[in-house]
Amino acid sequence: MNNVKIGVIGMGYVGLPLAVELGKKYLTIGFDINQERIEELKTGKDRTLEINDIELNKATYLRYSYTVKELEPCNIYIVTVPTPINIYKQPDLAPLKKASRLLGSLLKKQDIVIYESTVYPGATEEICVPILEQTSGLVFNTDFFIGYSPERINPGDKEHRVTNILKITSGSTKDTADTVDSLYKSIISAGTHKASSIKVAEAAKVIENTQRDVNIALINELALIFNKLGIDTEEVLLAAGTKWNFLPFRPGLVGGHCISVDPYYLTYKAQAIGYNPEIILAGRRLNDSMGNYMVTQIIKLMLNKLIHINESKILIMGLAFKENCPDLRNTRVIDMIKEFNNYGAKVDVYDPWVDPNETQQAYGFTPLSAPQPGSYDAIILAVKHKQFTEMGAEKIRALGKACHVLYDVKYILPANQVDGRL
């Protein structure tokens, strides 16, 4: 891997950890169009908390830029931009197309572009390659080459990091596949798995989270059934979990940038080729409905205590899409907030992990810096942050009025210490 100069496009949860590891060995440019983000990284701070100050300083060959011209010396580009869905739950490839146009203006002969963004099988070659060809004037697999190596970052997970997660690699030609594989193998201690084609690598990524989504949907449906039967779901799962091959999934809200999004990429492509997926979409519908279902359950508990719903004060503890992580992307806690608002309730949100400015920009409200004791008609434990676990039932209940409801979405507290849980 001599004379390698790498440009990583996108300095988010995926791009930054990758750029840091590459920057320990290779000349690397961490590029993002967000000037504020780049200036922050230059000071040695990462607001996503994925990389600490010490690790940032270890990347001695890494520098950051929001200026396209600084990418010109690179001969390998790695794209780590987000691939969200739109309001119709269809793939939104705008960031990917924009990144491809940007790189097309930079491409030189023999350059390699590696995509890490999650897409449906075929998207890299069907969508990105024509943009690169048109913008650069170069010929695919003659003048420039493509790789695909799907990201497997788990935000907030300090155990599974870039270097110890096995990496799937692929390339548009045999030589390209070998080059891509060698590059990642040089920084990934867990090793690599070289797929036979880009489409295989794309498909492998998109089914990883689809499988998790369907499994969680099954557990969510079981929770609905057990609720009607008057059986505690966690007790059932703990009992079933004594069998060695029972899968330890738990019910709850399914949000984030992967599990709740990736299945829609696969179903979009399936429908485009004439197949209507049933199990995948059914799982998505069920998981997307859980926020509203839990609000209904909480309101029933409030009415049983003669608590008036309209103008009631609700405290939701937790907004991030997962525990001990500031990531707000596609959090389904928002569904609960909207549904409570539909009933005329007033909702406060408390989450010590999230950035208030980012929350305001993304969702139009600012979380509390600290909730006031004795203020709430209902308290919902929506995210299993360590701070909430450490509080315990007594301190959490102290935030409520004399008569209130405490509902536990994430099994933070024992069943006998809450009024209801999923």
Side-chain angles (χ1 to χ4, degrees), residues 247-264:
L247 301 177
F249 288 96
R250 288 294 183 268
L253 300 169
V254 184
H257 66 297
C258 288
I259 296 179
S260 62
V261 172
D262 295 357
Y264 288 121

Side-chain angles (χ1 to χ4, degrees), residues 293-308:
Y293 170 80
M294 284 185 279
V295 169
T296 300
Q297 296 303 107
I298 295 163
I299 286 175
K300 288 178 181 178
L301 292 169
M302 293 172 70
L303 292 174
N304 286 338
K305 291 193 175 188
L306 302 180
I307 299 173
H308 192 57

Side-chain angles (χ1 to χ4, degrees), residues 20 32 56 62 85 91 111 118 139 159 181 217-218 229 253 272 340 348 373 414:
V20 166
D32 201 289
L56 282 175
L62 171 63
I85 54 174
D111 282 356
T118 303
V139 179
E159 180 181 350
D181 193 67
L218 171 61
L229 291 173
L253 300 169
F340 274 122
D348 285 341

Side-chain angles (χ1 to χ4, degrees), residues 129-246:
V129 167
I131 293 173
L132 292 172
E133 285 191 311
Q134 182 180 11
T135 311
S136 68
L138 300 176
V139 179
F140 175 50
N141 276 347
T142 299
D143 299 324
F144 71 93
F145 306 88
I146 295 294
Y148 184 79
S149 181
E151 59 89 5
R152 282 176 160 174
I153 291 291
N154 186 25
D157 189 337
K158 300 308 179 186
E159 180 181 350
H160 300 96
R161 312 300 292 163
V162 171
T163 56
N164 61 11
I165 301 173
L166 195 141
K167 201 84 164 72
I168 297 173
T169 66
S170 64
S172 56
T173 66
K174 183 182 181 304
D175 287 344
T176 305
D178 291 342
T179 299
V180 172
D181 193 67
S182 294
L183 174 64
Y184 283 109
K185 194 172 287 184
S186 69
I187 64 167
I188 306 292
S189 59
T192 61
H193 175 92
K194 186 162 56 175
S196 62
S197 69
I198 287 175
K199 284 185 179 180
V200 167
E202 290 168 327
K205 167 58 182 177
V206 82
I207 71 165
E208 289 175 9
N209 288 314
T210 300
Q211 182 187 65
R212 288 184 59 79
D213 192 46
V214 171
N215 275 290
I216 296 171
L218 171 61
I219 302 300
N220 273 335
E221 187 162 61
L222 293 175
L224 305 187
I225 295 169
F226 296 147
N227 182 268
K228 286 184 174 292
L229 291 173
I231 304 172
D232 186 83
T233 302
E234 188 187 32
E235 288 189 25
V236 175
L237 295 175
L238 289 173
T242 59
K243 189 167 187 280
W244 71 91
N245 61 352
F246 185 81

